[in-house]
Amino acid sequence: MKDIMRVKSSISTDVETLLNQQIKKEALSSSIYLSMASWCARNGYDNSADYFFKQAEEERMHQLKFYKYVLDMGGMAVSPEVTNIKLEYNSFREVFEEALEQEISVTQSIKNIAARCHKEHDYVTLEFLNWFFKEQREEEFKARRAVELFDVIGEEGTGRWQIDKNVGQIVYTEG
């Protein structure tokens, strides 16, 4: 029966596995951003908390987009278990540095899926991934600019307040 089901799927088992791993990575990202929002809120960085709440919601939307794609292609999407989410951070800056690392990790994971799709000539999934590449370019830009605020503004005096005030105003525009 499984072989019959596979014929009905437009994606290989390897690509399906990678897409399900990406679903988990997106769920993990959403949970990490919720944790960051919580840390920021508890430490008085309300604008940054709002920024991370929005990021968490966006990652959840990405998770569902991958999930639906797997189902649409006749595959089996798996709802992931997410555990071991970091709750405490050593500094305000560390929160944003880890957010940037998370975005870079997500981009690399999507690149790995694309590489597999190239190998298999899975152009439909490649086309689907193009939306995510554009999205990741924006996400990495915003995360990088947020970290750069710490260098430009500095953390002394009212610096952290200024960073918190400006983080939500970072916008990516294609050049």
Side-chain angles (χ1 to χ4, degrees):
M1 181 68 166
K2 186 174 182 177
D3 291 338
I4 294 171
M5 292 303 293
R6 180 54 50 201
V7 172
K8 293 180 181 180
S9 179
S10 298
I11 54 177
S12 71
T13 55
D14 288 343
V15 169
E16 183 179 306
T17 297
L18 290 172
L19 291 170
N20 273 306
Q21 288 171 358
Q22 189 64 34
I23 289 167
K24 183 171 184 168
K25 189 171 268 297
E26 299 292 343
L28 178 66
S29 291
S30 181
S31 294
I32 288 170
Y33 285 138
L34 284 175
S35 179
M36 289 174 171
S38 175
W39 186 93
C40 287
R42 288 191 326 269
N43 286 280
Y45 302 115
D46 294 337
N47 295 313
S48 296
D50 289 343
Y51 171 84
F52 285 118
F53 280 125
K54 287 176 190 169
Q55 291 300 111
E57 185 61 31
E58 196 166 297
E59 299 305 326
R60 173 95 166 115
M61 191 234 359
H62 296 170
Q63 175 193 356
L64 293 175
K65 196 171 185 97
F66 275 107
Y67 199 92
K68 186 161 179 0
Y69 178 78
V70 171
L71 294 174
D72 288 350
M73 300 308 288
M76 184 174 86
V78 178
S79 184
E81 179 180 358
V82 178
T83 59
N84 300 322
I85 302 299
K86 183 175 181 174
L87 301 175
E88 293 299 328
Y89 297 88
N90 295 316
S91 69
F92 189 37
R93 181 182 183 122
E94 180 185 20
V95 173
F96 286 94
E97 288 173 342
E98 289 194 18
L100 175 57
E101 289 174 16
Q102 184 63 26
E103 290 301 336
I104 291 169
S105 171
V106 167
T107 301
Q108 187 56 52
S109 180
I110 295 169
K111 286 179 182 180
N112 291 340
I113 298 169
R116 183 63 191 199
C117 290
H118 273 290
K119 183 177 179 182
E120 294 186 12
H121 304 285
D122 182 351
Y123 302 112
V124 174
T125 302
L126 278 171
E127 188 275 331
F128 169 75
L129 293 175
N130 282 333
W131 183 89
F132 287 96
F133 283 125
K134 183 178 177 183
E135 183 72 9
Q136 283 308 116
R137 186 171 63 231
E138 176 184 337
E139 294 303 319
E140 280 191 39
F141 174 88
K142 288 169 40 181
R144 197 169 284 108
R145 291 300 174 261
V147 171
E148 289 171 355
L149 287 175
F150 287 86
D151 295 329
V152 172
I153 296 172
E155 295 184 68
E156 299 305 315
T158 61
R160 285 186 287 257
W161 178 80
Q162 284 291 335
I163 292 166
D164 183 53
K165 182 179 166 186
N166 287 291
V167 76
Q169 312 216 353
I170 299 169
V171 178
Y172 176 76
T173 54
E174 290 187 56

